[in-house]
Amino acid sequence: MRVVFMGTPAFAAEALRAICEEGGHDVVLVVTNPDKPSGRGHKLTPPPVKAYALSRGIVVFQPVSLRDTEAQETIRRAGADVIIVAAYGKILPPEILSMPPLGCVNIHASLLPRWRGAAPINRAIMAGDPIGGVTVMYMAEGLDTGDMILKKELPVPPQMTAGEYHDRLAVLGGEAINEYLALAASGAVPREKQDDAAATYAQKLTDDDRRPDFRASASDVCNRIRGLSPSPGAYCFCAGKRLKLLFAVPADGIGRPGEILSTSGGAITIACGQGAVAVTAVQPEGKPRMDAESFLRGNRIEKGSFVTCS
């Protein structure tokens, strides 16, 4: 199969790797977003998909817009059988959707129609979903509304973070897209319409999402913390410092929401509306990740004081 691959972050880079190294297909062009400034020096840094493509000697194209006719012509000249898309970050116009003979096929990080949209990995963890997965689907003009080709499920253990879930889904996505390409080569690709009535939406994350509501149950607070870990990270203000909360588990304890019940046992235990959470991994502003015990050694936190999220 001649493949044009469109994607940007690490999730997409793993799919591209699987297509090249395990599927053995001919990736004739990689389309990704432009390099972005990164780090304190604001040095232009290539996205993970570009870095992998260059390591394989694959031609990389980084258009600012896909609505530009010259950009569309560059993709057309690649002569692909199919365009594979994974977390590209731009909407494909109709001119590109109709371009390849086998269509444009997307790897989406949820079991559609649940969690259509921008942040399916985070939203699934934040909601406490016990099972997630990936869907390979035909692309349409709507937001993740196209017909489904295949799904692969992945159990979500109750203490898995969004980062861990992301890495496992990335591998699963690579397996799924190679399964699709094998079906496409045989000419026997299934097609199933989505049930729009069952759809839920994974809205883009906002700063409000990052602030846990300690009036909620301990389970809900833990889900929010692990659903945003390690990035962008839930946060609160503790002892006058902004503190990312990177991991927490439900704990015993009763108090007013946001009250610090304990700073012993290697955790900061905070009361919730129902129960409490024991925060065991944090990241102070401007510092690296550390366990709560290390943070407590350098910061005096009074039992009975409160964390705030505003």
Side-chain angles (χ1 to χ4, degrees), residues 174-247:
E175 295 173 2
I177 200 61
N178 276 335
E179 189 173 325
Y180 155 73
L181 287 167
L183 290 169
S186 73
V189 181
R191 192 167 192 141
E192 178 186 355
K193 289 192 176 299
Q194 294 188 43
D195 180 1
D196 292 339
T200 61
Y201 289 88
Q203 303 290 347
K204 186 177 179 180
L205 296 172
T206 67
D207 192 62
D208 285 343
D209 289 315
R210 297 181 60 196
R211 293 181 282 188
D213 182 357
F214 288 100
R215 296 170 298 180
S217 70
S219 176
D220 286 346
V221 172
C222 285
N223 288 344
R224 182 166 296 254
I225 291 170
R226 68 191 182 97
L228 295 166
S229 178
S231 179
Y235 72 87
C236 67
F237 293 91
C238 180
K241 298 181 179 181
R242 179 167 161 146
L243 189 66
K244 274 190 183 182
L245 309 175
L246 297 179
F247 193 75

Side-chain angles (χ1 to χ4, degrees), residues 16 36 49 80-81 185 189-190 256 267 301 305:
L16 176 60
K36 287 187 175 181
V49 161
D81 299 310
V189 181
R256 293 166 60 191
I301 305 227
S305 61

Side-chain angles (χ1 to χ4, degrees), residues 62-140:
Q62 295 176 276
V64 174
S65 171
L66 291 178
R67 299 194 177 276
D68 180 76
T69 54
E70 290 186 13
Q72 293 173 12
E73 188 56 31
T74 297
I75 296 169
R76 188 187 309 278
R77 283 198 302 268
D81 299 310
V82 63
I83 293 177
I84 302 296
V85 182
Y88 174 51
K90 285 186 173 71
I91 295 174
L92 273 60
E95 293 84 354
I96 292 178
L97 290 174
S98 61
M99 196 177 288
L102 297 180
C104 296
V105 173
N106 183 49
I107 311 167
H108 186 74
S110 80
L111 298 176
L112 291 171
R114 185 163 177 80
W115 302 129
R116 295 173 177 174
I121 291 175
N122 303 98
R123 296 293 179 187
I125 299 282
M126 290 164 69
D129 287 4
I131 296 177
V134 296
T135 304
V136 175
M137 55 176 285
Y138 286 107
M139 297 187 72

Side-chain angles (χ1 to χ4, degrees), residues 144-174:
D144 300 323
T145 57
D147 292 350
M148 300 178 294
I149 298 168
L150 62 91
K151 297 181 182 181
K152 295 183 86 70
E153 292 187 352
L154 178 71
V156 187
Q159 294 188 3
M160 180 179 282
T161 65
E164 294 165 336
Y165 183 49
H166 166 280
D167 292 349
R168 295 191 191 181
L169 280 184
V171 173
L172 193 65

